[in-house]
Amino acid sequence: MTESYILHYAPLRVKELGYTRHMLRYRDLVIDGENIVNIPAYNELFFIVDDPPGLIVESDYGMYDSTDDPLPDNVHEHRGEITIHNPGTGKRKIKFIQVIIVS
């Protein structure tokens, strides 16, 4: 997903979920090689910006896989318990737009 698309889509998605207010936050994470990072995002949406190489992202919403054996259908929107896995040996960077739902 492109950043401009996410910025347009996120308010619509928040409204679909039944909320009217939200805050945006840009997140750049560096995931060390052969490492897993967990993010609890139960009151938030995380949108993957662009296509970060060599990472696997899983959540209640589905899976994104940009490794050498990619999925036929990648999910760029994540919520719930988010797990980011770097199966490679080098550091990888992933960019998110975090949408924090304000009730």
Side-chain angles (χ1 to χ4, degrees), residues 38 43 48 57 68 70 72 74 88 91 96:
N38 292 307
N43 201 38
I48 299 172
V57 180
D68 291 335
N74 280 308
K91 291 182 179 186
F96 289 102

Side-chain angles (χ1 to χ4, degrees), residues 25-94:
R25 206 171 143 202
Y26 287 84
R27 303 282 303 265
D28 288 354
L29 302 176
V30 176
I31 312 300
D32 288 330
E34 300 175 354
N35 200 5
I36 296 174
V37 172
N38 292 307
I39 301 171
Y42 297 99
N43 201 38
E44 305 158 272
L45 296 167
F46 276 71
F47 292 94
I48 299 172
V49 178
D50 299 324
D51 291 309
L55 293 172
I56 301 167
V57 180
E58 292 184 72
S59 74
D60 295 344
Y61 277 27
M63 187 174 189
Y64 173 91
D65 186 344
S66 64
T67 62
D68 291 335
D69 190 23
L71 295 172
D73 183 20
N74 280 308
V75 176
H76 287 252
E77 177 183 347
H78 294 276
R79 188 174 185 191
E81 188 69 29
I82 300 171
T83 302
I84 307 165
H85 179 215
N86 178 0
T89 56
K91 291 182 179 186
R92 301 280 184 193
K93 187 175 182 180
I94 185 167

